Amino acid sequence: MDKLLVMRLSNLDLNLLVSLDALLDQRSVTRAAQQLGLSQPALSASLARLRRHFGDELLTRVGNEYRLSPLAAQLKPRVRLALDGVERIFTAQPVFDPRESSREFSVLLSDYACAVLGNVLTELLGQEAPGARLRLMHNTPAAVDHAEQTLLTTDLLVVPHGFVTDLPHAEVLRDRWVLVVSADNPDVGDTLTIEQIEAMPWVATYYGPTASTPAARQMRMLGIEPRVQVVTESFLTIPGLVAGTRRIALLQERLVRLFSVDVGIRSLPCPFEVGPLVDAMWWHPVYDRNPEHAFFRDLLLRAAQQVSG
């Protein structure tokens, strides 16, 4: 590193990072001081030091409230990311005993993967690390598009192949895509033609330039353009959006088995070639040799093996 940069960083107080995070989150010296258990004068002094360091007001009064300066708005997510990284560094242990752990393990995944894996993963974690906590978070196109940055603060990302590259990963689940229609749709028999699926109204998931299911991508690559009537970012809402209507959608076969009887849908094979859904778990390479992380990766793999049977 540049010597001047090293000298500059060595003179910084790490506690200022904690203060900055609270100030940017609360947008109030009083509330930030309460959050940190500090006196208001102490946090005001920290804010003054931060303002001198950045050469920026950070918090500016507008009427009866404080607002973030443009620089502060840029810093807010970076500060949280930095603090999460610092916490992971200073809580790391050379040997990990899951029975003694109170760590929170986090995974970003679709509601499909959560429905299929969630209960089994939770049960395994409760058996082997009873004091630990599991945080299941709904993934978003933004999180997937910036996977490397996302995975600095999240243990695992479960997403199909084709969306993340150049990061360590392991296959988790395989499933088959099927078409779903309402069980009482009078226009649909035992099979569907390409002409029918192009004419029918569609329920699409993650429908956007960089957000789509692998099956929908394949369909469009074959020149089949769906007439999208509804867009949803939840696979679990598809059965309810199809049942009792003339709509059609692509859905994972495992979810059809879970919901078809209860909500009145039925599945049909695709009249075009579609590859299997292959979900993988992805992680940041900085955690390759982290024993806590290795435990959690193994736990998720074993949960997937149980589901796949």
Side-chain angles (χ1 to χ4, degrees), residues 13-283:
D13 180 356
L14 188 60
N15 288 320
L16 285 177
L17 192 62
V18 178
S19 299
L20 181 59
D21 181 58
L23 287 164
L24 298 184
D25 179 55
Q26 295 295 328
R27 305 185 187 191
S28 161
V29 173
T30 301
R31 292 196 300 270
Q34 292 172 347
Q35 177 180 312
L36 298 176
L38 299 174
S39 67
Q40 186 170 335
L43 200 59
S44 293
S46 294
L47 177 58
R49 290 179 64 188
L50 288 163
R51 282 170 167 167
R52 287 196 298 272
H53 173 80
F54 288 107
D56 187 88
E57 283 298 297
L58 300 177
L59 295 176
T60 57
R61 182 180 286 278
V62 179
N64 294 324
E65 63 179 8
Y66 280 97
R67 293 183 183 175
L68 301 183
S69 71
L71 175 62
Q74 293 180 40
L75 289 173
K76 186 177 179 182
R78 299 179 189 176
V79 171
R80 173 45 42 195
L81 185 66
L83 272 179
D84 286 341
V86 169
E87 182 180 0
R88 285 171 181 257
I89 290 170
F90 285 99
T91 58
Q93 300 292 327
V95 178
F96 175 64
D97 184 355
R99 294 168 298 179
E100 300 297 324
S101 176
S102 59
R103 186 191 193 280
E104 178 178 277
F105 294 95
S106 57
V107 55
L108 273 164
L109 70 177
S110 67
D111 56 350
Y112 154 75
C114 186
V116 172
L117 289 171
N119 284 341
V120 178
L121 182 60
T122 303
E123 188 172 333
L124 284 176
L125 185 65
Q127 292 170 359
E128 301 183 24
R133 180 171 59 212
L134 178 64
R135 184 179 292 271
L136 299 170
M137 298 178 291
H138 188 38
N139 63 20
T140 64
V144 175
D145 288 344
H146 303 93
E148 186 170 1
Q149 182 178 355
T150 298
L151 288 168
L152 284 171
T153 55
T154 303
D155 289 305
L156 294 172
L157 169 66
V158 176
V159 69
H161 284 282
F163 295 92
V164 179
T165 58
D166 301 326
L167 288 175
H169 61 276
E171 184 178 317
V172 175
L173 281 175
R174 280 183 173 260
D175 207 341
R176 191 165 71 98
W177 292 101
V178 294
L179 290 170
V180 290
V181 298
S182 179
D184 60 1
N185 189 327
D187 300 327
V188 179
D190 294 331
T191 60
L192 282 163
T193 66
I194 290 177
E195 288 74 19
Q196 281 179 295
I197 66 174
E198 286 185 317
M200 295 172 71
W202 275 78
V203 178
T205 46
Y206 302 100
Y207 190 71
T210 62
S212 180
T213 63
R217 281 183 174 181
Q218 287 180 279
M219 184 170 63
R220 289 198 295 271
M221 286 176 65
L222 292 171
I224 305 168
E225 292 293 340
R227 183 165 65 88
V228 177
Q229 187 179 74
V230 182
V231 177
T232 177
E233 294 190 0
S234 167
F235 291 108
L236 298 184
T237 61
I238 288 179
L241 292 168
V242 169
T245 76
R246 295 176 185 265
R247 300 186 190 110
I248 186 173
L250 281 161
L251 198 59
Q252 302 91 338
E253 193 171 33
R254 282 194 175 93
L255 282 189
V256 176
R257 293 174 189 164
L258 288 175
F259 294 111
S260 59
V261 175
D262 295 333
V263 300
I265 61 173
R266 63 189 179 98
S267 65
L268 296 159
C270 297
F272 55 89
E273 185 177 348
V274 57
L277 168 66
V278 184
D279 265 350
M281 64 176 182
W282 306 78
W283 64 92

